[in-house]
Amino acid sequence: MNTEKLLARHVKEVPPSGIRRFFDIASEMKDVISMSVGEPDFITPWNIRDAAIHSIEAGRTHYTPNRGLMELRQLAVEYLKERFNLEYDAKDTLVTVGASEALDLAFRAILNPGDEVLVPAPSYVSYEPGVRFALGVPVGVETFEEDNFILTPESIERAITPRTKAIVVPYPNNPTGAIMTREELDAILPVIEKHDLLIIADEIYAELTYGRRHVSIAEGHEDRTLLINGFSKAFAMTGWRLGYACGPKPLIDTMTKIHQYSMLCASIMSQEAGIEALLSERNSGYQQVSHMVTSYNRRRALVVEGFREMGLSCFEPRGAFYCFPNISSTGLTSEEFCTQLLHEKKIACVPGSAFGKSGEGFIRCSYASSMENIIEAIKRIREFIEGR
């Protein structure tokens, strides 16, 4: 049987992730230093792991309600209130299998075929495919290094059509490390409100900011904002696959319906771990989160300084754990630069083009790695550039 002809055209047309491609190549090579995957190098704190172990030992191994354990949902909305001054209701909160599932559910819940979603570019590789998988049309809103990679009212207005239904606001940003200030967010809100767009605020990196606290576009606009967050980045819990979405009741109800028929619920062991993460961090004044941010900040300074000393233009990231240097002066495309760097110096980075056309001329380097690896990586990249 020719199974190729059975495959959905709109899925076949989406290319594989550019991030995972370089990671997979690097994983098959020896002595490679990977700066490609956005994963904390910290291990999930012991008390959080222990909560999951205790859950298993106590026989808590069954399904939870579709929306997740009420204790976890309540703690999540209390956390959002305490840390970011957001007003959401635990009843209108859905626990998901990572923040990625929340994004998928959101697109499937709101999009009819041909509906458009504004997606900043460059930005996380899953937004555009997620829209396409839901039979929507992703529309790129370009951001630029000279504007600190932020969304502007003018860029949003130019991208809007009668079919535009929502806008993704992903700050702190992957891959650029950009953040948006309260003033910058307030500047784009009138355009969003004028066209009555849903805001999908992906704030998975909200805790990872440097020099100033994260502010959320959802603050004061909860009625038009689907807030997505999770435990992967701030709590070093990537493998637990635990996220959540808060938003207007009709939207959460519809997302829950899809979730019921697909995932059913997130793992109870992960949910128990999430409860411990939120409780223990609140009780300690978020000491473990602060420790990780302090460590990332030191690495951030080292990476930015290293690229600038090589003669490369390097935007200073203010959030997440990515650096996005401009390599266009080398005369290589992003793909060429990363491919040659990997094979010649065994350093794995991600081509900026993996994050959209406007990422061409840049590479993404994750500094969620040890200082030892970062120092060696900078040394090898410098040798690569000087040897050209």
Side-chain angles (χ1 to χ4, degrees), residues 36-225:
S36 59
V37 177
E39 179 173 33
D41 63 318
F42 296 98
I43 296 172
T44 305
W46 168 247
N47 63 298
I48 299 173
R49 287 179 277 151
D50 192 42
I53 294 169
H54 178 72
S55 169
I56 296 169
E57 292 177 336
R60 290 176 61 76
T61 58
H62 300 286
Y63 294 135
T64 72
N66 293 134
R67 293 200 182 190
L69 296 170
M70 176 52 80
E71 182 180 4
L72 177 58
R73 288 184 280 149
Q74 187 61 49
L75 285 169
V77 297
E78 290 172 4
Y79 161 79
L80 293 174
K81 172 63 176 176
E82 177 182 328
R83 300 294 277 176
F84 310 116
N85 198 34
L86 300 179
E87 298 282 356
Y88 284 106
D89 194 317
K91 296 193 300 295
D92 298 325
T93 297
L94 172 62
V95 178
T96 58
V97 182
S100 295
E101 192 211 355
L103 283 165
D104 178 55
L105 294 174
F107 295 141
R108 289 202 278 165
I110 68 170
L111 295 177
N112 297 307
D115 285 345
E116 296 175 353
V117 178
L118 303 187
V119 178
S123 64
Y124 181 48
V125 296
S126 290
Y127 300 139
E128 289 196 7
V131 173
R132 293 189 189 280
F133 292 157
L135 299 179
V137 179
V139 176
V141 182
E142 285 197 85
T143 63
F144 300 95
E145 183 179 15
E146 55 267 31
D147 295 328
N148 297 324
F149 293 110
I150 66 167
L151 290 166
T152 65
E154 296 79 16
S155 62
I156 295 172
E157 187 72 66
R158 283 194 298 269
I160 289 174
T161 76
R163 302 216 66 163
T164 308
K165 187 170 264 187
I167 180 171
V168 178
V169 180
Y171 292 89
N173 183 265
N174 170 14
T176 65
I179 65 169
M180 288 187 68
T181 65
R182 170 54 57 201
E183 295 74 23
E184 290 163 346
L185 292 170
D186 286 345
I188 67 173
L189 278 163
V191 178
I192 293 170
E193 292 171 342
K194 170 186 169 185
H195 294 280
D196 197 26
L197 304 183
L198 171 72
I199 301 168
I200 300 175
D202 181 358
E203 301 191 358
I204 191 69
Y205 295 99
E207 287 287 358
L208 306 184
T209 57
Y210 314 101
R212 63 170 70 206
R213 289 284 300 151
H214 170 71
V215 291
S216 175
I217 192 169
E219 184 180 353
H221 302 275
E222 289 88 346
D223 61 333
R224 75 162 59 248
T225 304

Side-chain angles (χ1 to χ4, degrees), residues 119-366:
V119 178
S123 64
Y124 181 48
V125 296
S126 290
Y127 300 139
E128 289 196 7
V131 173
R132 293 189 189 280
F133 292 157
L135 299 179
V137 179
V139 176
V141 182
E142 285 197 85
T143 63
F144 300 95
E145 183 179 15
E146 55 267 31
D147 295 328
N148 297 324
F149 293 110
I150 66 167
L151 290 166
T152 65
E154 296 79 16
S155 62
I156 295 172
E157 187 72 66
R158 283 194 298 269
I160 289 174
T161 76
R163 302 216 66 163
T164 308
K165 187 170 264 187
I167 180 171
V168 178
V169 180
Y171 292 89
N173 183 265
N174 170 14
T176 65
I179 65 169
M180 288 187 68
T181 65
R182 170 54 57 201
E183 295 74 23
E184 290 163 346
L185 292 170
D186 286 345
I188 67 173
L189 278 163
V191 178
I192 293 170
E193 292 171 342
K194 170 186 169 185
H195 294 280
D196 197 26
L197 304 183
L198 171 72
I199 301 168
I200 300 175
D202 181 358
E203 301 191 358
I204 191 69
Y205 295 99
E207 287 287 358
L208 306 184
T209 57
Y210 314 101
R212 63 170 70 206
R213 289 284 300 151
H214 170 71
V215 291
S216 175
I217 192 169
E219 184 180 353
H221 302 275
E222 289 88 346
D223 61 333
R224 75 162 59 248
T225 304
L226 179 72
L227 189 285
I228 295 174
N229 208 323
F231 293 79
S232 291
K233 312 301 182 179
F235 301 101
M237 293 176 65
T238 49
W240 299 82
R241 308 315 303 133
L242 188 65
Y244 55 91
C246 307
K249 184 180 187 305
L251 178 53
I252 294 295
D253 286 348
T254 304
M255 290 171 62
T256 302
K257 185 191 303 183
I258 303 168
H259 181 70
Q260 285 173 336
Y261 287 113
S262 54
M263 291 299 180
L264 188 66
C265 66
S267 156
I268 187 172
M269 286 74 80
S270 292
Q271 293 188 56
E272 294 280 5
I275 289 170
E276 173 62 22
L278 290 174
L279 279 174
S280 60
E281 282 299 288
R282 182 170 68 184
N283 292 337
S284 72
Y286 298 92
Q287 286 185 7
Q288 293 182 115
V289 170
S290 296
H291 168 71
M292 286 189 279
V293 171
T294 298
S295 180
Y296 289 140
N297 196 23
R298 288 197 296 267
R299 305 175 200 185
R300 178 182 73 104
L302 182 64
V303 171
V304 171
E305 181 183 3
F307 279 116
R308 288 176 176 173
E309 286 180 349
M310 296 176 207
L312 299 180
S313 170
C314 187
F315 171 74
E316 182 177 356
R318 295 292 186 181
F321 40 54
Y322 307 106
C323 193
F324 204 58
N326 188 327
I327 53 86
S328 57
S329 61
T330 66
L332 298 173
T333 66
S334 298
E335 185 86 9
E336 290 169 340
F337 187 99
C338 289
T339 300
Q340 293 179 29
L341 178 65
L342 178 58
H343 289 287
E344 294 178 25
K345 294 296 181 179
K346 296 189 175 180
I347 301 296
C349 300
V350 181
S353 54
F355 305 94
K357 291 180 181 179
S358 59
E360 179 53 60
F362 297 84
I363 62 172
R364 191 195 77 172
C365 299
S366 169

